[in-house]
Amino acid sequence: PVVLGSYALMLGDDALVMAQRLAEWCSRAPDLEEDIALANVALDLLGQARLLLARAAAADPGLVPALPEGSPVPPEDRLAFFRDDHAFRNVRLVELPRGDFAETMARLLLFSTWRLALLGRLRGSRDAVLAAVAAKGCAEVTYHRDLAARWCVTLAGGTEESRRRLVAGLDGLWPWWGELVEAHPVEVTAAADGVGVDPTTLREECEGVLDQVLAACDLTRPDVPPREGIRGGKGRDGRHTEELSRLLTEMQVVARAHPEGTW
Amino acid sequence: PVVLGSYALMLGDDALVMAQRLAEWCSRAPDLEEDIALANVALDLLGQARLLLARAAAADPGLVPALPEGSPVPPEDRLAFFRDDHAFRNVRLVELPRGDFAETMARLLLFSTWRLALLGRLRGSRDAVLAAVAAKGCAEVTYHRDLAARWCVTLAGGTEESRRRLVAGLDGLWPWWGELVEAHPVEVTAAADGVGVDPTTLREECEGVLDQVLAACDLTRPDVPPREGIRGGKGRDGRHTEELSRLLTEMQVVARAHPEGTW
Amino acid sequence: MVDTLAHEDELQELFEATIARHDRLEPRDWMPEGYRRTLVRQIAQHAHSEIIGMQPEGNWIGRAPSLRRKAVLLAKVQDEAGHGLYLYSATETLGVSRDELTEMLIDGRQKYSSIFNYPTLSYADVGTIGWLVDGAAICNQVPLCRTSFGPYGRAMIRVCKEESFHQRQGFELLMTMMRGTEEQQAMVQESVDRFWWPALMMFGPPDADSPNTAQSMAWGIKTHTNDELRQKFVDMTVPQAARLGVTLPDPDLRWNPERGHHDFGQPDWQEFARVVKGHGPCNAQRVAHRRQAWEDGAWVREAATAYAAKQEESA
Amino acid sequence: MVDTLAHEDELQELFEATIARHDRLEPRDWMPEGYRRTLVRQIAQHAHSEIIGMQPEGNWIGRAPSLRRKAVLLAKVQDEAGHGLYLYSATETLGVSRDELTEMLIDGRQKYSSIFNYPTLSYADVGTIGWLVDGAAICNQVPLCRTSFGPYGRAMIRVCKEESFHQRQGFELLMTMMRGTEEQQAMVQESVDRFWWPALMMFGPPDADSPNTAQSMAWGIKTHTNDELRQKFVDMTVPQAARLGVTLPDPDLRWNPERGHHDFGQPDWQEFARVVKGHGPCNAQRVAHRRQAWEDGAWVREAATAYAAKQEESA
């Protein structure tokens, strides 16, 4: 259950942090249709995050931050709002600043391609909760991936400027991709236990899908090496970019001001 | 002493919030000389804020937020880091987003013209601490005003773009000016007690100075009415813009995470 | 020329008969130019209000204090974008495009509800906006479901259904907070204190100062006067405030058994006039935010148009 | 042609004599092209490091947890801008302008110290950068006060004086935090764990892999080898760590009485190579931040130039 807890936390944090970034677009998108679409994606991921964090807390109560006796804050909210950045286990890709619309869609393409492959496999998890989250999530993330792919193709084939921005977005994000298909020991153990997925086994499938989308964009995979970690550690080890603590500062401020609050 | 405390708090909050905004320029200014100059202004104002908040706390300990027994956080830091936005008493002008360099210099012109006039008169305060802060501050703020005036004239007479940006900055800020030369009851009482200055008595002098600078810019005072308050209240009443709570979120996050911390 | 006029007379009669029957006009029907202009202005202003109205609440999405509340709030703001969409579609049936209207909004040529020129200063404001602002909007809008222009009336039916869901959600947030800590209760009261008077202003100036009301009522675009709706709102809200346990900041507010209604004080109509004129606490900020989003997104819209054109060419 | 060469030979002799006497060269003196090129590269790299180095610490100015610390930190980062200024002035005496060098930095044609490609993740990092990073910088730079090029040496004297003040401030922050809460102590240890190895990398690759060292030492631009300086830094830092009560994350670190020095492990030189090549955690971010500031400020610099030109005209 300790491994299950840590594993659910990783997937939950990915969804939560990505949702927080995507929600920044609300009232700022290029058009109302995109405003609504990006909010939809964020809402789906928020829903996944809630279930996954609740699963993490149930599987390993030791993960959950302590609050004053009698605080009504539920475990998934304690995890979301009362952990510091180094206790977050998301990949660094999701915490990067939102960038422009092209970068946002490029990131959503990378993230949802990977997450769809992962959830597809996770439907067979021995943990019934993870399996159920994955089953529901597959339909959602299929839509996310299609949205992102459609926009990448549109931007690639739109104007010179949109193509330039898409290429810049992909180039800037690619160094963070490798982290998604690298295995952290928790992931390896979760996979061995039959509850999780070893992300290295997703690499080929994902890069195949990405290559297809890139081909439709008349582009190829950027040839850039991955971003270094810190003391060998990356997001899954709680070693993040400077952006995460800023993101959490905003996200957590009201909850932390009211550790005994009821919402 | 209650009035003295509230009055010192107002002047301290003005300086603190303005310093926080100016410090955002650090590593982002158009040139190294400006980076250094803006940091200097922020440092001067931070110094004034520290003295003024300490004075406020000494004059009216009831202003100071309570922390856990034995917390080593000094009173001026409790005031800076443990009050919510509605307890801040700064004018709204200083909390607005930093904008571009032209807007920053336009704001510094308005703020330092007013503050210099105010500190000049405050040197005669019956409160020795305020009088001393004012005496020291006059030299500092003279430099701030000169810096701002020089840049306003330069931008007005530079390129078409710089002039356009300066005019936009002045137009956008002018509606917030009136609040500086309006009297809050605390200011009126402080003036009557001989410890403070009634800001309405500064209006003519300040607008004379501003007119001179604007004339050198070949501009005139924007003809725009003041921004409305909320239920008749403005910054001095603790009724702020949406920006202040965001500014404080960042400023206070580390201090609040460690209410018993020693720094 | 004479013929056309005669023809117009007939059309005018047909139009008036439709209005008199409380039937609906559809886009293909003839309508007087003044009616069309008034409708476009009113629907556009309503659409703009939905879109600008995303900002005050959107200000708290990033800071929502629980995962559930974050989802509820994001979904609500998303609904507002959806309302904007339906309403802009209704103006499109009158021959005015969304882009034109957006340009008019960010140029300041068209208005939106003045309530959104007040800032949101605490999370309680999310609840208060749901309860009071959406509550007032519903009072204004329910009658519009029977408005004389079909597409507008149908849009309003959908909008009202969602708004009343939002209103209940807002009330529920405030109720939950009132059961929470003392700080939370104080947040709610402070928020209600700030929004009460601006909410009353949402019904527009007193009838005596509302010159367009008569014509709009004659055209079936409006069905109740400002003061009637304001009274309805106060009567509906007072018992809800009691249930919440908050005080409404009006010393003149009391039940008048003779009238069978609550008496209440008047908002500061001079403040209202200043805010409508553009000098409210947030007017400049709201329009600048919308302009920024619109300008930042121009290259995306252009790309989508260019891509679609290329697809069509090669098809 | 033969004459010029003969003349150059004489100048070369004069130059070598100056170096041999440990005298200083001044901008007007003749110097070999390789010496000038190496100097420009080294001073520029140093200047860039000061300017890029503003970012990791600048990241915490807005969040400094006390008014005193905020002022100390802002003043420190401001000093770094000042160091950048002196150093760019030294390159200007060699005929290369600040603007040219800035373009080379944001184009990626020139480097800066790889330490600044690591993120700052807590307020303790402000202290650790002062203690370890400024400490390592001082070890590197103190010998440069006697470097053979006058303007560089004089800039370094001023820089070193301020750096050692910063180093003491950093140590003092960590010491204060180590006397604070358990969380604060843990923050300090975690920060030291992250910065120890990157700090050791600041002295450059092991001597065996540092091909330019010999020439730079012959020219008096460098006076100690990388490994000598690294050893000096370790020997200086170990007792300070003990005083702080933090553990340095090197299991091989121990006093060797025979050598009279500490033995210690080697940093991951492959990581170093990757970070220098541009793939460190923050390389892209640091350069993008600098580019953004430079580009955003272009209109201001143009305005200042235009204004000055107009003033000159009318004078």
Side-chain angles (χ1 to χ4, degrees), chain B residues 16 19-20 23 26-43 46 49-50 53 76-77 80-81 100-103 150-151 153-159 161-163 165-166 247 249-255 258 260-263, chain D residues 51 54-55 58-72 74-75 77-78 81-85 88 98-99 123-124 172-173 176-177 179-181 183-184 187 289-290 292-294 296-308 310:
Chain B
L16 174 57
Q20 179 77 7
C26 188
S27 84
R28 290 184 182 86
D31 220 333
L32 295 179
E33 287 81 354
E34 275 58 67
D35 216 299
I36 292 171
L38 288 168
N40 262 331
V41 176
L43 282 167
L46 260 182
R50 237 179 121 190
L53 295 184
E76 66 274 22
D77 287 340
F81 297 101
D100 65 11
F101 187 76
E103 201 174 333
R150 215 163 50 237
W151 268 110
V153 171
T154 302
L155 297 176
T159 62
E161 181 176 11
S162 68
R163 187 172 178 87
R165 285 179 183 256
L166 178 71
L247 177 146
T249 294
E250 177 182 6
M251 188 174 97
Q252 298 178 332
V253 61
V254 178
H258 301 273
E260 304 184 61
T262 315
W263 302 100
Chain D
I51 299 307
M54 295 169 73
Q55 292 178 43
N59 186 33
W60 291 91
I61 292 171
R63 292 179 278 180
S66 79
L67 294 174
R68 185 170 82 86
R69 288 293 171 196
K70 190 189 287 287
V72 166
L74 179 54
V77 178
Q78 186 193 33
H83 298 172
L85 263 186
Y88 285 126
R98 200 205 299 178
D99 287 10
Y123 204 79
E172 187 259 331
L173 169 58
T176 306
M177 289 179 70
R179 289 189 188 123
T181 64
E183 287 89 347
Q184 289 185 295
M187 270 169 85
H289 179 113
R290 187 75 192 106
Q292 184 85 50
W294 186 246
D296 286 352
W299 68 270
V300 179
R301 297 190 300 274
E302 282 157 21
T305 308
Y307 180 77
K310 286 181 200 169

Side-chain angles (χ1 to χ4, degrees), chain C residues 117-130:
Chain C
N117 292 315
Y118 291 85
T120 52
L121 299 178
S122 79
Y123 204 79
D125 289 2
V126 169
T128 306
I129 288 181

Side-chain angles (χ1 to χ4, degrees), chain B residues 92 227-234 239, chain C residues 118-119 271 275 279-281:
Chain B
R92 292 178 297 175
R227 283 259 158 264
E228 198 62 29
I230 299 159
R231 301 176 56 222
K234 300 185 177 173
R239 288 200 267 281
Chain C
Y118 291 85
E271 174 182 323
V275 174
H279 314 308

Side-chain angles (χ1 to χ4, degrees), chain D residues 175-193:
Chain D
M175 189 59 103
T176 306
M177 289 179 70
M178 289 303 287
R179 289 189 188 123
T181 64
E182 269 176 47
E183 287 89 347
Q184 289 185 295
Q185 293 163 17
M187 270 169 85
V188 173
Q189 181 63 57
E190 191 274 337
S191 172
V192 170
D193 287 346

Side-chain angles (χ1 to χ4, degrees), chain C residues 286-315:
Chain C
R286 299 290 185 235
V287 173
H289 180 113
R290 187 73 192 109
R291 178 184 295 120
Q292 184 85 50
W294 185 246
E295 290 176 356
D296 286 353
W299 68 269
V300 179
R301 296 190 302 274
E302 282 157 23
T305 308
Y307 180 77
K310 287 182 199 169
Q311 291 307 100
E312 210 151 293
E313 255 171 54
S314 67

Side-chain angles (χ1 to χ4, degrees), chain D residues 36-53:
Chain D
R36 179 188 301 269
R37 227 181 12 246
T38 304
L39 258 180
V40 168
R41 200 188 56 217
Q42 181 172 330
I43 303 175
Q45 179 161 332
H46 190 166
H48 297 329
S49 299
E50 296 285 354
I51 299 307
I52 294 286

